Amino acid sequence: TIPACGRPDRVERVSPLLELTCTTLRNFGEDPGAASVVKLAGNFLIAASIESVAEALSLAEACGVDRDDVRSLLTDTIFDCLIYKGYGQRVARR
């Protein structure tokens, strides 16, 4: 997915090329900084996810529960998504 923004005629002009490189092109209006805001928001969510995994695994470990077993259970069930699986595995290994 690519967040696009800018003057409508320019977004329309580059859309065919951008669509060749992604599955979804989302237009966020004319403000040229909007796509950067979207990217920063996504990066913030990734960082917050990494921190929450680290805290959860530290809690488990402090209580004597194997951190990798906790990570495996959580990412195989309610947190079954790329961010938690990929970064969770790295956090579990430290």
Side-chain angles (χ1 to χ4, degrees):
T1 301
I2 295 177
C5 60
R7 288 183 17 198
D9 60 313
R10 292 188 179 171
V11 171
E12 185 177 337
R13 181 176 174 196
V14 299
S15 289
L17 179 62
L18 294 175
E19 289 169 345
L20 292 174
T21 64
C22 66
T23 56
T24 307
L25 182 63
R26 299 280 306 266
N27 192 328
F28 284 90
E30 292 190 34
D31 179 359
S36 295
V37 171
V38 172
K39 174 69 171 152
L40 287 172
N43 288 349
F44 174 80
L45 288 173
I46 290 170
S49 298
I50 293 169
E51 176 62 23
S52 67
V53 169
E55 293 292 341
L57 298 183
S58 291
L59 171 66
E61 186 175 52
C63 294
V65 180
D66 183 89
R67 62 191 290 124
D68 197 49
D69 287 344
V70 172
R71 180 217 41 93
S72 179
L73 177 129
L74 293 174
T75 59
D76 287 344
T77 57
I78 60 174
F79 295 99
D80 183 13
C81 69
L82 180 63
I83 295 298
Y84 285 107
K85 283 184 176 284
Y87 289 108
Q89 189 173 40
R90 293 181 191 119
V91 169
R93 284 187 269 142
R94 288 187 211 178

